[in-house]
Amino acid sequence: MTLPDRPGALLAVAKALADAGGNIVDIEVLAAGEGRAIDDVVVDLPGAGEDRLREVLAGAGAGVLSARKTVRVTGQRADLDLLQRVAAEPASALATTVSMGAMVFGADWAVSTSATDTKRVQHRSVGSPSALPDGLPAPTGALPRRALLDGRWEVVGIGWSDHHVFLGRDGGPTFLQVELLQLRRVVELARSLAGA
């Protein structure tokens, strides 16, 4: 969700949702700047679809960047759950990161491939496409790389030793800088735990 970065803006959103019979269940601030804030918000709005959600939020001056159903619970830290599982089973660190990565990073799918042949998929999450889109972003440098592929997939890639990990969102939104930093940190920690 994007909304004005000013005092009372989130209160206006909460009030609009309450008036429509809904509630904010969980919220994480992702970015703020240039007068706007971007938040990852879990909303409970019984009986309403995405169009109604967009209408309610627009009435409060907010916009929806992407809406999707979730099973996330208030206070849940899926990134810590992923790292805990890697610590418990370090030999499966890459497979665990892929299988849980889509949920952790709000993606529709995740895969790992050989670094030398991105068509050779080693691990895949539920929902990953049977054929990966062409032009996957080669993970080089300190931050994960992102690209829009086939006018549809917002994809981010990050290196893992002699593998690449790719996460994809169908129709966006774009992976924000703060999400790329979190992805890098979680992958660094998972690799460290696997090596320990």
Side-chain angles (χ1 to χ4, degrees):
M1 166 179 77
T2 178
L3 69 161
D5 188 14
R6 65 171 187 259
L10 187 56
L11 178 61
V13 168
K15 182 174 180 343
L17 284 167
D19 290 347
N23 188 30
I24 294 176
V25 177
D26 197 13
I27 186 166
E28 178 182 359
V29 177
L30 297 177
E34 299 179 11
R36 301 292 292 176
I38 298 175
D39 299 337
D40 185 11
V41 182
V42 178
V43 173
D44 180 21
L45 190 58
E50 185 177 335
D51 290 341
R52 177 66 178 136
L53 175 62
R54 288 179 183 277
E55 178 186 315
V56 169
L57 293 177
V64 176
L65 296 174
S66 174
R68 53 188 84 215
K69 293 184 179 190
T70 183
V71 293
R72 196 164 93 191
V73 180
T74 302
Q76 179 183 7
R77 289 294 309 265
D79 55 347
L80 296 180
D81 293 340
L82 184 155
L83 293 170
Q84 181 180 20
R85 185 165 305 166
V86 167
E89 299 177 37
S92 302
L94 180 58
T96 298
T97 301
V98 169
S99 68
M100 296 180 69
M103 178 185 63
V104 171
F105 298 103
D108 293 306
W109 54 266
V111 299
S112 67
T113 70
S114 161
T116 57
D117 181 4
T118 57
K119 294 297 182 187
R120 236 177 70 214
V121 174
Q122 275 111 11
H123 306 284
R124 62 176 65 239
S125 72
V126 173
S128 62
S130 55
L132 296 178
D134 290 327
L136 292 168
T140 58
L143 280 178
R145 307 291 282 202
R146 61 182 167 210
L148 178 64
L149 304 178
D150 297 339
R152 170 183 178 186
W153 297 107
E154 176 70 29
V155 177
V156 64
I158 187 166
W160 180 304
S161 302
D162 55 349
H163 299 86
H164 292 328
V165 175
F166 297 100
L167 294 103
R169 290 176 174 165
D170 189 358
T174 297
F175 286 92
L176 301 172
Q177 188 75 7
V178 68
E179 293 175 297
L180 298 181
L181 292 170
Q182 181 190 19
L183 173 61
R184 181 180 73 179
R185 190 68 179 129
V186 167
V187 166
E188 285 173 349
L189 288 169
R191 284 176 25 199
S192 294
L193 290 168

